[in-house]
Amino acid sequence: MNAQAPASRDTRLNRPEPFTPPLGDGGFFRRDRSIHPPAHAPGYKSSVLRSPRQSLLSLENSVSEITGPVFGHNDLGPLDNDLIRNYAKDGDPVGERIIVHGRVLDETGRGVPNTLVEFWQANAGGRYRHKKDTYLAPIDPNFGGCGRALTDDTGYYYFRTVKPGPYPWRNYVNSWRPAHIHFSVFGSGFAQRLITQMYFEGDPLIPICPILTTIPDKDALDRLVAPLDLNASTPFDSLAYRFDIVLRGQRSTYFENRTAGN
Amino acid sequence: MPQPLNYLKETASQTAGPYVHIGLIPAMAGFDIFEKNFSNVLVTPDTQGDRITLEGKVLDGTGSPLRDVLLEIWQANAAGRYNHPADRSAGALDQDFRGWGRAGSDFDSGLVTFETIKPGAITDKSGRKCAPHVNVWIVARGINIGLNTRLYFSDEEAANAADPVLNLIEQQVRRKTLIATRSERAGKVVYSFTINLQGPDETVFFDV
């Protein structure tokens, strides 16, 4: 027998494991709810009856929260990130052609690789291809209004579409949504799951939107507004907007498994 | 001034809105666009485990079902293992089970269903067994940030009684809001649940 105790078992100090790096347990950073809209936001009337009133129960992240579904290129089709072509029947959809691109990052600034990003929107007239949408603006026969992409190794994603129009909705009698694109993002763990909306720089409806103004933090609201990115535009073809999305940071498990948290 | 930490801030959540189906379940919006679609069926014929149906509704503060809600579930396989590299527990992976699905409620009844398998008990980091459960995420018009809850199984009384998360719920009476009730219908096992967004029976939601 080797008389020397293994390094991981210093029985004198009753310390069975070596001191591990900080940020090493794989859980996510606590969500800062002060930058998110509260569940109950009376100015957005639909939230009143659909908002929990009890405190959320804080849950230390377990394997159920730090894991989440894994997607791959097999889940997607070749036209999924091209909304100009993925529903075209006899021509291109009507509207301003735009490219939307950006990175999915986490709060540490690292790109989130190979994660699924889904997006949906109204057409250029502000009408959704949805059987429950009855707005008088016409359906565009060549526009579906949805797509998806997988981020690359650096967290980068991009897609092509037409700029959505604003539209009226029933909140106050004369409420209008600013032009926006809905985003759904996964991240590496189910606790990072996020749905949000991207808005366009300069839209005068932004400061008076009852949904946008549920966000209590001015900077957080500004981060939902995509700037025009002329450098990424295609001359004589499409303007471009840049939209980065930040998911919760992770107390990385990189010493044991790089894929889990980087 | 000390050194800045330079963490980024999470992007703010926004409601999924009434037309969430366009992006996430286009067939429900009324059209066909993608070659491959995600659905509420988590199983293939080759998936291992006992087939179950999860069936339920999400109710608003008046007790009325939400008819435009979208649920996603994330669960371990029959051996209690999540199909993700961060789960390093001993149970075998099942290549025919991703463990994730999404469903929109029926536009008339508000009913939400999933076809899946009953997950095995999960082993947490300290080696404790956790009762079998399904993680649930809820979005809809009027829900400003996705709601996280769990479903446990009514026929797992002993495991539920020892589950570390259920035992975190101070008021015993609230624990039952997370228990789906087992029944059999035409030879199929169905677990029924009700998620109450408000009211005396408000479901326990988690800040995960």
Side-chain angles (χ1 to χ4, degrees):
Chain A
M1 277 295 281
N2 188 338
Q4 202 170 10
S8 62
R9 267 211 176 273
D10 187 339
T11 49
R12 280 176 311 149
L13 296 177
N14 192 25
R15 199 178 66 195
E17 298 293 337
F19 180 55
T20 55
L23 305 178
D25 69 359
F28 291 102
F29 300 171
R30 186 170 66 85
R31 179 167 256 164
D32 177 0
R33 294 202 172 250
S34 72
I35 57 116
H36 290 287
H40 179 243
Y44 173 31
K45 296 183 183 185
S46 295
S47 76
V48 173
L49 283 171
R50 294 181 166 201
S51 43
R53 301 304 163 90
Q54 305 289 332
S55 297
L56 303 179
L57 182 60
S58 292
L59 211 54
E60 191 182 339
N61 283 180
S62 72
V63 69
S64 294
E65 287 77 36
I66 67 171
T67 60
V70 177
F71 299 96
H73 289 284
N74 285 343
D75 290 308
L76 306 184
L79 289 180
D80 282 7
N81 71 340
D82 187 354
L83 282 67
I84 287 182
R85 289 285 155 75
N86 69 4
Y87 200 76
K89 303 299 180 197
D90 56 9
D92 285 349
V94 172
E96 298 174 39
R97 300 161 65 88
I98 61 168
I99 292 161
V100 178
H101 74 141
R103 288 179 74 202
V104 179
L105 305 163
D106 74 11
E107 288 169 299
T108 68
R110 287 181 292 221
V112 181
N114 307 314
T115 201
L116 183 66
V117 183
E118 298 165 288
F119 19 86
W120 67 100
Q121 62 169 91
N123 68 24
R127 174 78 181 267
Y128 284 97
R129 182 175 288 280
H130 191 292
K131 57 185 171 190
K132 296 290 183 188
D133 187 359
T134 56
Y135 179 38
L136 54 81
I139 289 281
D140 183 330
N142 294 309
F143 191 66
C146 60
R148 46 201 189 177
L150 209 59
T151 59
D152 72 9
D153 289 346
T154 69
Y156 184 69
Y157 75 91
Y158 63 96
F159 62 96
R160 181 167 78 155
T161 184
V162 294
K163 191 176 176 187
Y167 58 85
W169 61 298
R170 292 190 178 279
N171 190 65
Y172 305 114
V173 166
N174 199 14
S175 294
W176 291 75
R177 294 303 324 280
H180 62 277
I181 300 176
H182 297 263
F183 278 75
S184 155
V185 194
F186 279 83
S188 63
F190 206 47
Q192 284 176 303
R193 195 81 180 81
L194 183 74
I195 279 185
T196 189
Q197 300 179 28
M198 180 202 109
Y199 303 88
F200 293 86
E201 177 184 9
D203 189 332
L205 292 168
I206 287 173
I208 55 171
C209 171
I211 288 178
L212 246 178
T213 52
T214 58
I215 297 173
D217 182 290
K218 171 77 166 65
D219 293 336
L221 190 157
D222 287 345
R223 287 194 296 271
L224 297 184
V225 181
L228 178 71
D229 183 356
L230 204 58
N231 290 337
S233 299
T234 309
F236 305 104
D237 183 332
S238 304
L239 283 174
Y241 288 84
R242 169 102 189 176
F243 188 56
D244 290 338
I245 298 166
V246 180
L247 303 179
R248 293 167 68 187
Q250 185 166 20
R251 296 165 62 89
S252 175
T253 56
Y254 56 89
F255 276 80
E256 297 163 88
N257 187 334
R258 293 187 62 84
T259 54
N262 276 316
Chain B
M1 285 283 280
Q3 296 177 11
L5 279 167
N6 288 333
Y7 287 112
L8 302 178
K9 292 278 198 182
E10 189 187 10
T11 297
S13 172
Q14 290 272 266
T15 178
Y19 307 126
V20 59
H21 316 88
I22 290 180
L24 305 189
I25 316 176
M28 283 193 72
F31 66 109
D32 180 28
I33 184 165
F34 297 133
E35 288 176 21
K36 296 166 188 171
N37 289 283
F38 302 124
S39 83
N40 63 333
V41 179
L42 283 75
V43 293
T44 73
D46 298 321
T47 304
Q48 294 167 29
D50 296 331
R51 267 54 179 171
I52 62 170
T53 300
L54 289 173
E55 178 184 282
K57 293 184 181 180
V58 180
L59 307 183
D60 72 11
T62 70
S64 308
L66 271 61
R67 296 178 299 168
D68 54 6
V69 71
L70 183 135
L71 268 60
E72 289 184 357
I73 61 172
W74 168 241
Q75 65 168 93
N77 67 20
R81 175 91 180 259
Y82 286 99
N83 192 351
H84 186 280
D87 186 349
R88 293 185 286 274
S89 60
L93 277 174
D94 179 350
Q95 293 308 325
D96 296 300
F97 190 66
R98 181 171 5 219
W100 171 84
R102 64 167 48 133
S105 58
D106 182 88
F107 286 127
D108 297 318
S109 68
L111 202 65
V112 181
T113 60
F114 290 97
E115 302 297 332
T116 184
I117 49 112
K118 190 174 174 190
I122 288 145
T123 308
D124 75 7
K125 278 177 289 192
S126 55
R128 278 182 310 187
K129 283 284 183 192
C130 305
H133 63 270
V134 171
N135 307 286
V136 182
W137 185 71
I138 305 160
V139 293
R141 171 177 65 90
I143 294 178
N144 284 328
I145 181 165
L147 299 170
N148 292 90
T149 185
R150 290 183 173 193
L151 292 176
Y152 289 82
F153 298 91
S154 63
D155 54 340
E156 295 283 348
E157 275 184 50
N160 291 343
D163 183 78
V165 169
L166 284 173
N167 278 292
L168 274 181
I169 302 170
E170 180 186 346
Q171 294 82 9
Q172 290 239 8
V173 66
R174 298 199 69 205
R175 296 179 191 173
K176 72 176 191 308
T177 66
L178 303 185
I179 312 289
T181 306
R182 186 184 193 280
S183 64
E184 289 188 30
R185 198 184 301 156
K188 289 178 69 177
V189 176
V190 179
Y191 287 91
S192 305
F193 64 88
T194 303
I195 293 169
N196 288 288
L197 297 180
Q198 295 176 5
D201 297 321
E202 182 178 310
T203 294
V204 173
F205 296 104
F206 297 108
D207 192 7
V208 293

